[in-house]
Amino acid sequence: MDTYNVLVVDDEQEIRDAIEIYLKNEGITVLKAKDGIEALDILTEAKQQIHLIILDVMMPRLDGIAATYKIREKKNIPIIILSAKTEDTDKILGLQVGADDYVTKPFNPMELVARVKSQLRRYVTFGTYEGASAEKIINLNGLTLEPAAKEVTVHGDPIKLTPIEYKITELLMENAGRVFSINEIYERVWNEPCYNGENTVAVHIRKIREKIEIDPKNPRYLKVVWGIGYKMEK
């Protein structure tokens, strides 16, 4: 793909403009919105496809958490949350409603660019992967993963996963029965060293369970191995 389109949503113009400068230097096209409502309007009306959203948490009219929730009702676009708060609860809330990653303000612009590029690679790969039809469909007692379609179903019913949730599910299903530590899951899925990634992985695991399990508290497929990590049951 020649170019990516990123929507930057922040009520501070200086931050929107600064992010735009860094992303444009990477050849990325930037659209900007000052709050969640304007962002939803752009997503509905924009002629070009939006490949990723950078979304501030604290905004007037419609904040980042509420906007993420509404976006996730219809779209699986990668979302990176920007938060001025450092508390884990704020980060976890963003991940719980469907964000793929978070960056805490004040942020290093180059770190944000690196995270954007990582999410874009993952998202576009899921959407444009060629030759996947030769990959084997995986079925674990009714839980099915089709690599060609990048689709997961439970007894035939499609499951709507975010790109990160899909990647974790794919990793565990392709290696059913094998236990992965939290660090290993993070490093394989995010493609970067794991520093304090426990909460991030745990939140995504919980969201996957809510979508694929009949009873998430007593999971049939995605099991925890206490003190070690997680595995997908054969």
Side-chain angles (χ1 to χ4, degrees):
M1 182 172 292
D2 295 329
T3 185
Y4 300 116
N5 302 313
V6 171
L7 175 59
V8 177
V9 190
D10 197 296
D11 61 329
E12 296 185 44
Q13 182 176 342
E14 294 82 0
I15 292 178
R16 296 196 302 268
D17 292 345
I19 293 174
E20 180 181 24
I21 291 171
Y22 282 96
L23 292 183
K24 279 191 171 182
N25 286 339
E26 298 294 327
I28 295 171
T29 300
V30 175
L31 293 82
K32 296 182 286 186
K34 63 180 179 296
D35 57 46
I37 291 177
E38 189 172 321
L40 293 175
D41 289 341
I42 289 174
L43 285 172
T44 301
E45 300 169 3
K47 295 180 180 180
Q48 64 269 62
Q49 180 183 1
I50 305 297
H51 300 104
L52 182 141
I53 304 171
I54 298 173
L55 193 59
D56 186 32
V57 170
M58 301 299 293
M59 295 184 294
R61 297 209 298 170
L62 188 69
D63 65 37
I65 300 299
T68 298
Y69 185 81
K70 287 185 174 294
I71 292 167
R72 280 289 173 257
E73 291 177 350
K74 297 181 179 180
K75 297 181 181 293
N76 281 333
I77 302 170
I79 298 173
I80 298 177
I81 288 286
L82 291 181
S83 172
K85 300 179 180 179
T86 57
E87 292 86 353
D88 284 342
T89 52
D90 188 61
K91 300 170 185 175
I92 291 172
L93 182 58
L95 295 171
Q96 283 179 331
V97 297
D100 297 282
D101 202 355
Y102 60 83
V103 174
T104 303
K105 293 180 178 180
F107 54 85
N108 182 323
M110 298 313 297
E111 178 188 355
L112 177 61
V113 169
R115 289 179 180 271
V116 166
K117 292 169 72 174
S118 176
Q119 291 291 338
L120 285 172
R121 283 195 302 269
R122 194 172 296 117
Y123 176 62
V124 173
T125 297
F126 290 161
T128 62
Y129 182 81
E130 297 180 357
S133 58
E135 295 186 55
K136 183 179 179 181
I137 294 174
I138 304 170
N139 190 302
L140 303 176
N141 297 315
L143 177 65
T144 303
L145 183 142
E146 287 192 58
K150 299 299 178 187
E151 183 178 65
V152 175
T153 60
V154 177
H155 298 295
D157 295 326
I159 305 300
K160 195 173 182 180
L161 299 174
T162 68
I164 289 291
E165 291 167 359
Y166 176 87
K167 190 66 175 177
I168 294 172
T169 303
E170 181 182 49
L171 172 67
L172 296 179
M173 288 187 69
E174 285 180 343
N175 299 276
R178 177 183 167 184
V179 181
F180 286 85
S181 69
I182 288 176
N183 284 5
E184 192 171 8
I185 292 172
Y186 189 95
E187 289 171 2
R188 287 200 178 208
V189 172
W190 276 265
N191 294 315
E192 62 186 29
C194 179
Y195 298 109
N196 300 318
E198 293 82 1
N199 284 333
T200 301
V201 172
V203 169
H204 284 294
I205 290 288
R206 184 161 63 250
K207 295 296 290 184
I208 293 169
R209 278 180 169 164
E210 290 172 356
K211 295 177 180 181
I212 69 172
E213 303 284 359
I214 295 175
D215 181 2
K217 293 182 179 179
N218 296 288
R220 177 185 181 189
Y221 301 113
L222 212 173
K223 300 291 187 71
V224 62
V225 180
W226 294 107
I228 303 177
Y230 299 96
K231 70 173 181 177
M232 196 69 74
E233 198 72 88
K234 284 187 177 181

